[in-house]
């Protein structure tokens, strides 16, 4: 479940990065356009892009920090209880083997 959530967040971040990239390309393509309305829209879009980039950076930093924390906690747990960890992994492997053998 947590892995699915993390994967969904990673996909969302990738999608947002693609949208930001496309918006930047659009702004570059319309750089030669003149007029008061287009200038106002471009300025607003540039401000929004800066804000989205900042938020994306924060989300990415948070995701990396959570992954490090989870990895550290797992490492600590395995070192504190190596035999119990081996038993749990063995049990899971056994159950997966049973399920795979039924098919």
């Amino acid at each position: 479940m947590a892995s699915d959530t993390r994967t969904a967040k990673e996909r969302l971040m990738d999608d947002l990065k693609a949208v930001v990239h496309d918006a930047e390309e659009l702004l570059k393509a319309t750089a030669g356009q003149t007029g008061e309305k287009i200038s106002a829209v471009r300025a607003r879009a540039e401000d929004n892009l800066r804000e989205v980039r900042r938020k994306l950076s924060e989300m990415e930093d948070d995701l990396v920090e959570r992954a490090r924390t989870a990895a550290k906690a797992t490492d600590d747990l395995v070192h504190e209880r190596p035999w119990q960890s081996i038993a749990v992994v063995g049990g899971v492997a056994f159950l997966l083997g049973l399920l795979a053998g039924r098919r």
Side-chain angles (χ1 to χ4, degrees):
M1 180 78 144
S3 177
D4 293 339
T5 303
R6 186 172 48 119
T7 303
K9 286 182 182 180
E10 289 171 353
R11 283 194 307 248
L12 176 62
M13 285 179 32
D14 290 342
D15 291 345
L16 285 174
K17 286 179 183 179
V19 168
V20 167
H21 177 73
D22 291 346
E24 288 173 339
E25 291 297 317
L26 181 61
L27 286 174
K28 288 178 187 175
T30 60
Q33 301 291 326
T34 58
E36 188 176 313
K37 284 186 178 183
I38 194 77
S39 295
V41 170
R42 284 180 48 79
R44 200 169 55 237
E46 288 171 350
D47 290 342
N48 288 339
L49 279 173
R50 274 192 291 276
E51 183 65 17
V52 167
R53 282 186 167 273
R54 185 187 65 77
K55 287 181 180 179
L56 266 176
S57 178
E58 287 176 3
M59 284 177 58
E60 196 168 24
D61 292 345
D62 182 51
L63 188 61
V64 167
E65 185 59 35
R66 285 183 181 194
R68 282 189 184 135
T69 302
K72 176 78 170 121
T74 303
D75 187 56
D76 289 345
L77 182 66
V78 169
H79 280 92
E80 288 173 10
R81 300 185 173 110
W83 292 110
Q84 291 164 336
S85 300
I86 291 170
V88 168
V89 170
V92 170
F94 178 74
L95 290 174
L96 288 175
L98 282 176
L99 291 174
R102 287 185 168 188
R103 292 183 182 180

